[in-house]
Amino acid sequence: MTRKQRRLVLIAVAGSVLAVAVGLTLYGLSGQIALFKTPTEIAEGTVEPGRRLRIGGLVKEGSVVKANGGATVSFAVTDTVNDVAVTYTGLLPDLFREGQGVVAEGALGPDGRFAADTVLAKHDENYMPKEVVDSLKAQGVWQEGAEGGAPVRGAAPAATTSATN
């Protein structure tokens, strides 16, 4: 075996070991990855029930209902086009309010209700998760402001707005 052939064999073996390591890593992470989806993407049926994911949007006004002495909370997350019903058991963040940005992590049930095990609310007056901002911009309900932008309450989705122009 020439020196060049030995080098090629070494590169082939190293490449194979690297491919197996990457494959095992991705397989190991597959159960831990939570993709971000919007209420519209869930309404379109692109999400299979039981899959772990994150949903984001605004807490719909008037949708927060507490049960079991406040331990279980039901609310709707909206992107102003579609809503997703969310159930969460536990303590909500102090800044959780209707009309504010929220990200919930959990799984979608076969009945279309999202069972969250983690709820994240914005942490200051100007913060909105990037995924939520992108989703609201895509819907045409995000207005850039002096302090990083804010959702426009009662705004029509982009398709409706552009149809009137």
Side-chain angles (χ1 to χ4, degrees), residues 8 15 22 24 33 45 52-53 58 66 68 83 87-88 90 97 108 116 120 126 143 148 151 155 159 162 165:
L8 289 175
V22 168
L24 288 173
I33 296 173
R52 185 159 186 79
L53 59 118
L58 303 172
K66 294 182 179 182
N68 295 337
D83 302 339
T87 302
Y88 175 72
R97 293 187 303 262
L108 188 66
L120 305 171
N126 301 318
Q143 183 178 24
S162 64
N165 290 334

Side-chain angles (χ1 to χ4, degrees), residues 79-135:
D79 60 1
T80 69
V81 176
N82 291 296
D83 302 339
V84 173
V86 177
T87 302
Y88 175 72
T89 301
L91 294 174
L92 288 169
D94 290 338
L95 297 174
F96 178 86
R97 293 187 303 262
E98 295 178 352
Q100 296 295 320
V102 66
V103 173
E105 185 172 333
L108 188 66
D111 59 350
R113 180 168 280 277
F114 189 81
D117 53 23
T118 303
V119 174
L120 305 171
K122 69 177 195 174
H123 59 74
D124 72 18
E125 199 167 293
N126 301 318
Y127 175 76
M128 182 78 72
K130 181 183 180 314
E131 295 90 353
V132 174
V133 170
D134 292 343
S135 171

Side-chain angles (χ1 to χ4, degrees), residues 26-33 52:
L26 292 175
Y27 178 75
L29 290 175
S30 65
Q32 302 295 321
I33 296 173
R52 185 159 186 79

Side-chain angles (χ1 to χ4, degrees), residues 6-83:
R6 277 187 268 156
R7 207 175 317 144
L8 289 175
V9 169
L10 180 65
I11 290 172
V13 170
S16 299
V17 169
L18 183 63
V20 169
V22 168
L24 288 173
T25 302
L26 292 175
Y27 178 75
L29 290 175
S30 65
Q32 302 295 321
I33 296 173
L35 300 175
F36 181 84
K37 297 290 182 182
T38 64
T40 297
E41 290 173 321
I42 292 173
E44 291 171 349
T46 60
V47 178
E48 59 190 65
R51 181 174 172 86
R52 185 159 186 79
L53 59 118
R54 286 182 171 193
I55 62 168
L58 303 172
V59 178
K60 188 174 183 174
E61 299 279 344
S63 67
V64 177
V65 177
K66 294 182 179 182
N68 295 337
T72 301
V73 180
S74 298
F75 57 95
V77 174
T78 183
D79 60 1
T80 69
V81 176
N82 291 296
D83 302 339

Side-chain angles (χ1 to χ4, degrees), residues 139-160:
Q139 300 298 326
V141 295
W142 181 261
Q143 183 178 24
E144 293 294 332
E147 297 293 328
V152 178
R153 296 184 193 278
T160 305

